[in-house]
Each structure stands twice: as C-alpha cells, then as structure tokens.
C-alpha cells in the first residue's frame, strides 16, 4: 500500500528556514513525479512545487520561486522541500503528493501524505 | 495562470440527494480536470481525473463530465460519508491551479 509520511514542520520566525521531508513506501518511488501542495489555515489548496521521477525536472509556483527548493533522493525513497526566507503567508499545512501514473509532472495526484504544519511567526 | 471557479461555494443537502458542483476554467483546459474530496483534518482524495474517469476504489455514485471550460461533479444518492469539501483542479498547464472549494453539508 502506498504511503507518504511528511515531517519537519514547526514554528519558525519570518526570514528563517525549514526543510520538509516526505518518506515514501509501497511503490516504486523513482517512477513517479512528486509534488508539494499546501493549505493555509481554513483556506483552499495551492500547488507549491514538483519534481520529476529522475529529479532532473523541477517546477515552482511563482509565490515560492527563488525561496524554495525541491529535491529527491531515490535511493532513500525520500522527497524534500527546502524553504528559505519564510514569510507569514507561507504558514500552511504542507502535503506531499504522488503523481498518478507518470514520472513527469502532470499535476494529478493519487496519493497524499497526512501533512505537516509550518507556522511562520515571531 | 488559469483561474478555476467553483459554484456554489457551499450547499446544504440531505442523505439520498443528487448533488451537482460546477467548475469553470478561465480558458480551455480540454479534459484535464480533476476532482478531489477533503474531509476535515484529512488529506485530499482523488475522485475523478481527466474530467470523467473514476479513480480506483471511488464509489460509482460519483461522476464527472465536461470539457473545454465547463465541468461538473455529480454525486447521486448522497451518503453520510460524502459530507466534505470538494475541489476541482486543472492539470492542463503549470501551475496546476485549484478551485476555491465547495463545502457540502447537511
């Protein structure tokens, strides 16, 4: 059974950094693109970033471009999101999500983790 | 970016009802439209992909239709476990934008 488990969230001051981790199991990790999707408290869903199965292609929302970096380690079945220069509007639950049926980013997610909360506040 | 607009934002329904949620894209997205269900404090769940394909394990009372800019999600014979928020999302171009959500409650 496919499973995704995020970690690394927490409270950070504005301007600070945080690295999120998503541990995957139950599927051939390298065969699927992966994304991060966030949800601010009481708000809707916002796609943040994606990486291809090989790790060679990365994609970012304009709101995080230049501040966040997505990466993956296929030998460890793990996805990462390095978040720098954090702002108050980055406060959200961050979900990792598996691409359905593709090693390239399409934006169609069939499995999601339970999410990790990032709070940016002084 | 392509804007996705759902209507209504919320609706009240009863068990056994037929419910329809609409989603409109700001430009044509062919059939690259997905629907997700999210229950409180839970991760979203994929229901429908490419406008009308039912995700494995999803009950057949869920159906989707549409192409171009206008799409619908229909839940026939609403069940207690269907009370949730529903999101449409386009996967035609990056970024894959979501609608604002439709909350279905009693």
């Amino acid at each position: 059974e496919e499973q995704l488990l995020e970690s690394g969230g927490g409270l950070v001051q504005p301007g600070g950094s945080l690295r999120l981790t998503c541990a995957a199991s139950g599927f051939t990790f390298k065969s699927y693109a992966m994304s991060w999707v966030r949800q601010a408290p009481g708000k809707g869903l916002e796609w943040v970033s994606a990486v291809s199965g090989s790790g060679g292609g990365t994609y970012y929302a304009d709101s995080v471009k230049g501040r966040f970096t997505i990466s993956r380690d296929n030998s460890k079945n793990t996805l990462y999101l390095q978040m720098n220069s954090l702002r108050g509007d980055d406060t959200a639950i961050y979900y990792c999500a598996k691409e359905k049926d593709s090693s390239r980013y399409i934006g169609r997610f069939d499995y999601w983790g339970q999410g990790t909360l990032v709070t940016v506040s002084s | 970016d392509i804007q996705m607009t759902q209507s209504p934002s919320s609706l009240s329904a009863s068990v056994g009802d037929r419910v329809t949620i609409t989603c409109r894209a700001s430009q044509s997205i062919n059939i690259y439209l997905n629907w997700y269900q999210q229950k409180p404090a839970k991760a979203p769940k994929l229901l429908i992909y490419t406008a009308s394909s039912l995700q494995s394990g999803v009950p057949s009372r869920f159906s989707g239709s549409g192409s171009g800019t206008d799409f619908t999600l229909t839940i026939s014979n609403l069940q207690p476990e269907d009370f949730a928020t529903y999101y449409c999302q386009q996967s035609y171009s990056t970024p894959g934008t979501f609608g604002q959500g439709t909350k279905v409650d009693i």
Side-chain angles (χ1 to χ4, degrees), chain A residues 34-57:
Chain A
M34 297 293 295
S35 283
W36 289 97
V37 179
R38 69 185 180 184
Q39 186 169 35
K43 302 297 184 182
L45 300 166
E46 179 190 17
W47 172 81
V48 172
S49 183
V51 60
S52 64
S54 67

Side-chain angles (χ1 to χ4, degrees), chain B residues 7-77:
Chain B
S7 61
S9 296
S10 64
L11 66 90
S12 294
S14 300
V15 173
D17 283 355
R18 180 184 179 92
V19 168
T20 298
I21 299 168
T22 65
C23 179
R24 175 164 289 177
S26 61
Q27 67 182 73
S28 177
I29 57 170
N30 199 330
I31 60 168
Y32 298 107
L33 189 284
N34 313 302
W35 290 98
Y36 298 87
Q37 175 194 65
Q38 187 179 33
K39 297 181 179 178
K42 297 292 186 181
K45 173 187 175 182
L46 179 65
L47 298 176
I48 302 284
Y49 60 97
T50 52
S52 61
S53 297
L54 193 67
Q55 172 67 0
S56 176
V58 174
S60 59
R61 63 180 179 273
F62 291 91
S63 64
S65 64
S67 65
T69 61
D70 295 312
F71 302 85
T72 60
L73 172 70
T74 299
I75 313 171
S76 60
N77 189 20

